[in-house]
Amino acid sequence: MLALYLEHRRALVNYANGIVRDRAGAEDVVQEAYLRLSAASQEITHPVGYLYRIVRNLALDWARRSTTERPDAMAPSTLEAVPHEAPSAEHVLLFRDELRLLQEALAELPERTQTAFRMYRLEGQTLQQIANHLGVSVVRAHQLVKEAIVHAAHRLDRSEH
């Protein structure tokens, strides 16, 4: 049984790791499976298949147990240290103010320039698509987008000072 275990150990650990998603846990599962296989009192006709079945069952038990134990095991200080993606109130206000300034800056531009900017930056259109829509060359579409970006950048810079 030991030779069989050693021959298939790496594959069994990889198999268990796919279930438990923890290499150390997968090692523990495979070792436990070997102990159960070696303790079997009856003759096993397909020991490799039986070993894989034991690993699968133990790994599933391990995964279930770890998902139920994990939230309780975390200390509140650990949870506080986890970064969250929600911006702070200050950032929200800052970004809203910048968005308002950007809208005001774009409103000062000619309609075609606004359209080119909106299509390029917000809708993800290519310069060729913008040129076709506006009936201008690709070079002119690029100039319109650039004018809008430069104008908006200058307005945002002035507001910071």
Side-chain angles (χ1 to χ4, degrees), residues 5-145:
Y5 168 76
L6 292 174
E7 180 182 338
H8 295 280
R9 185 185 158 291
R10 177 176 289 156
L12 289 165
V13 170
N14 289 337
Y15 178 66
N17 190 42
I19 298 170
V20 300
R21 304 277 187 229
D22 173 27
R23 193 74 178 174
E27 293 275 355
D28 290 345
V29 164
V30 171
Q31 288 174 11
E32 177 68 25
Y34 169 70
L35 292 174
R36 289 187 184 195
L37 177 70
S38 61
S41 59
Q42 61 197 30
E43 178 76 26
I44 300 168
T45 55
H46 301 290
V48 175
Y50 185 70
L51 192 54
Y52 270 93
R53 190 171 337 129
I54 293 172
V55 167
R56 180 181 177 277
N57 291 340
L58 288 171
L60 289 172
D61 288 344
W62 180 287
R64 273 190 226 107
R65 190 174 55 245
S66 67
T67 57
T68 57
E69 291 173 357
R70 198 172 294 139
D72 296 339
M74 269 195 202
S77 62
T78 306
L79 291 175
E80 290 170 7
V82 175
H84 52 82
E85 295 183 20
S88 67
E90 294 86 16
H91 281 104
V92 170
L93 291 174
L94 176 69
F95 294 137
R96 282 186 185 166
D97 192 42
E98 284 183 353
L99 182 59
R100 181 187 52 76
L101 289 170
L102 178 62
Q103 288 173 331
E104 290 173 4
L106 292 176
E108 297 169 356
L109 296 170
E111 184 65 34
R112 249 181 14 167
T113 308
Q114 290 180 35
T115 301
F117 177 83
R118 186 184 69 251
M119 290 177 72
Y120 187 75
R121 292 297 239 180
L122 303 179
E123 297 172 11
Q125 302 288 322
T126 64
L127 292 172
Q128 183 65 58
Q129 292 169 321
I130 297 166
N132 293 343
H133 178 77
L134 297 176
V136 297
S137 69
V138 174
V139 172
R140 181 65 183 138
H142 181 264
Q143 288 172 343
L144 292 171
V145 171

